[in-house]
């Protein structure tokens, strides 16, 4: 893929290196040319300019990008980059970094954001995941789809133990994506049985999260 990363701070450079290691074409952008001199990202196309300016994005050829990542340390800038990428260049997927959790409500389809990533939210989710059994833990919000990526860990006395996937009635707007068990990732085929301690990764609408927890705890 061709990925444009706006913001070459520590976060932006780390994202760029991970993408490059996976074989993607990365265009890394920042207003401050000194960040490239201090810590260059080998293999990326480096450009100095303001990603909030339409003319600059046009010169970059953003319309040819598969993904735009707004990763600056300024929420206002990330929102503008997301909006321009979606409305002016029809980029199919926009991922935006949320720096201040108070601004998280802004990062949705109205501003062209498909996926909003909030570091505080992710950390809290990981903490909750470590201590919550049977509870729904929201990992990420998928804005354009109107759903959340959630995690549910089956308790030791789960009524689902031994029952195959196709014998469990999950809510209509919830889809089981994967089962994590003992360090393994298990594809949820119809005949795969559940076991106590399984971590279920699911995509579900917010409206059915309570119902989903009820299924896990009471069958």
């Amino acid at each position: 893929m061709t990925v444009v990363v706006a913001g070459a701070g520590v976060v932006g450079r780390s994202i760029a290196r991970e993408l490059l290691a996976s074989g993607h074409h990365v265009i890394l952008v920042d207003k401050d040319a000194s960040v490239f001199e201090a810590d260059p990202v080998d293999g990326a196309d480096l450009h100095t300019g303001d990603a909030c300016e339409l003319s600059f994005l046009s010169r970059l050829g953003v319309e040819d990008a598969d993904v735009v990542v707004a990763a600056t340390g300024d929420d206002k800038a990330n929102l503008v980059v997301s909006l321009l990428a979606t409305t002016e260049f029809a980029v199919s997927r926009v991922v935006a970094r949320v720096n201040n959790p108070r601004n998280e409500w802004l990062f949705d389809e109205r501003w062209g954001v498909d996926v909003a990533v909030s570091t505080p939210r992710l950390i809290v989710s990981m903490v909750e995941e470590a201590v919550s059994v049977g509870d729904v833990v929201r990992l990420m919000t998928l804005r354009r789809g109107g759903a959340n990526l959630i995690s549910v860990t089956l308790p030791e006395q789960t009524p689902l133990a031994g029952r195959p996937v196709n014998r469990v009635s999950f809510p209509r707007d919830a889809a089981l994506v994967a089962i994590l068990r003992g360090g393994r990732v298990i594809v949820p085929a119809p005949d795969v049985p559940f076991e106590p301690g399984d971590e279920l990764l699911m995509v579900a609408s917010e409206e059915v999260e309570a119902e989903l927890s009820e299924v896990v705890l009471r069958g």
Side-chain angles (χ1 to χ4, degrees):
M1 295 187 298
T2 295
V3 184
V4 175
V5 180
V10 174
V11 173
R13 293 198 305 274
S14 297
I15 293 170
R17 289 191 176 103
E18 290 289 336
L19 291 169
L20 288 166
S22 298
H24 300 296
H25 173 219
V26 177
I27 300 172
L28 185 58
V29 178
D30 201 281
K31 291 193 295 185
D32 185 0
S34 65
V35 298
F36 299 130
E37 299 168 1
D39 186 15
V41 180
D42 295 334
D45 289 343
L46 309 179
H47 295 269
T48 302
D50 189 350
C52 292
E53 292 184 1
L54 185 61
S55 58
F56 177 68
L57 293 177
S58 181
R59 290 196 299 274
L60 286 179
V62 172
E63 66 274 10
D64 297 324
D66 298 291
V67 183
V68 166
V69 181
T72 78
D74 185 335
D75 283 345
K76 295 189 294 296
N78 289 342
L79 287 171
V80 171
V81 170
S82 299
L83 185 63
L84 291 176
T86 301
T87 60
E88 299 295 332
F89 299 98
V91 176
S92 59
R93 189 162 184 80
V94 176
V95 180
R97 172 189 178 188
V98 183
N99 296 279
N100 187 338
R102 294 179 180 177
N103 297 330
E104 193 171 356
W105 65 277
L106 288 166
F107 286 74
D108 59 18
E109 66 280 355
R110 294 171 299 176
W111 282 92
V113 178
D114 294 306
V115 179
V117 181
S118 170
T119 301
R121 165 70 69 83
L122 289 175
I123 292 174
V124 169
S125 296
M126 294 304 103
V127 171
E128 290 179 339
E129 185 180 18
V131 299
S132 301
V133 174
D135 292 334
V136 171
V137 178
R138 191 177 301 171
L139 302 177
M140 184 177 294
T141 298
L142 309 175
R143 298 291 185 180
R144 182 163 292 182
N148 301 309
L149 176 64
I150 61 177
S151 166
V152 185
T153 301
L154 300 184
E156 287 300 317
Q157 303 302 321
T158 177
L160 304 187
R163 288 165 61 181
V165 170
N166 62 359
R167 295 293 300 276
V168 177
S169 298
F170 290 113
R172 179 177 179 180
D173 293 331
L176 179 62
V177 177
I179 302 172
L180 306 184
R181 179 185 299 162
R184 296 171 55 213
V185 178
I186 300 174
V187 177
D191 59 346
V192 171
F194 291 107
E195 294 182 7
D198 281 354
E199 181 181 353
L200 312 184
L201 293 183
M202 307 190 71
V203 175
S205 64
E206 185 174 352
E207 290 75 15
V208 302
E209 288 181 2
E211 185 180 349
L212 184 58
S213 183
E214 187 76 9
V215 170
V216 170
L217 292 173
R218 294 178 173 80

